[in-house]
Amino acid sequence: MKGRAGGERGKTMRQLDLCDAEVASAEDFGGAEVIPLHVEAEEPRPARGMRRAGGLLVACGLALLPWLYVLATGLPATATAAHWPVAWVGLDALEALGLIATGLLAARGDRRHALTAAATATLLVVDAWFDTTTAAPGGDFATAVAMALGAELPLAALCGRLALRALSRPA
């Protein structure tokens, strides 16, 4: 369009702005098929099995709501866990595996890193939550908050961003 005059260039742009109805009703196309410039893509309807699975998940989530009340009113304020170290080491091991897998997949440009990134972000947020809510007052609590704000939550945000960016790109 470099060689065209400003008026002719404007005319070309106006021609592109014709709405679908004007293009479809124009007679000078000689019966040729008109393909609109902007077509709104229709979302495909999920398969019946996917709709059923979605409905089941919603029902289970709603069924958990009364259970939250039972837990809030019935659980003791303190508890002793027989395998406390195993629980924490296991959670941190899963986080390490998630970070490694996400990093390796992302470095290779593999879109499946979105899956590991989403799972790892979830694990990191859960770790920050349980670290801060189970820490003893004082130094333990301060350390838990520092770890949450300085490591776990920023890493969770990075993983979440990686997952969302990968899912928003066309395949």
Side-chain angles (χ1 to χ4, degrees):
M1 289 197 187
K2 271 187 180 177
R4 295 185 181 180
E8 189 176 329
R9 181 176 179 189
K11 181 180 176 187
T12 304
M13 294 307 289
R14 281 191 302 272
Q15 287 173 343
L16 291 176
D17 288 335
L18 288 174
C19 73
D20 294 340
E22 291 171 317
V23 172
S25 66
E27 295 179 12
D28 58 341
F29 286 105
E33 180 183 357
V34 175
I35 301 173
L37 293 176
H38 301 287
V39 177
E40 302 255 346
E42 248 185 65
E43 289 290 324
R45 187 170 182 193
R48 184 172 32 161
M50 187 64 72
R51 290 192 311 268
R52 284 184 180 168
L56 176 65
L57 292 172
V58 169
C60 289
L62 291 173
L64 277 175
L65 295 178
W67 179 244
L68 294 175
Y69 176 77
V70 171
L71 288 175
T73 58
L75 285 175
T78 61
T80 302
H83 304 288
W84 190 252
V86 174
W88 286 109
V89 170
L91 178 60
D92 286 349
L94 287 173
E95 291 171 8
L97 287 173
L99 290 168
I100 292 167
T102 301
L104 290 174
L105 290 170
R108 287 192 292 174
D110 191 327
R111 287 177 49 97
R112 292 177 293 180
H113 78 273
L115 301 171
T116 58
T120 304
T122 303
L123 287 170
L124 288 162
V125 170
V126 167
D127 191 9
W129 173 262
F130 281 108
D131 278 346
T132 56
T133 58
T134 61
D140 287 344
F141 182 73
T143 301
V145 169
M147 287 293 295
L149 296 177
E152 295 157 344
L153 295 177
L155 283 171
L158 174 63
C159 287
R161 183 171 181 222
L162 286 172
L164 290 174
R165 286 184 64 193
L167 293 175
S168 67
R169 290 187 185 144

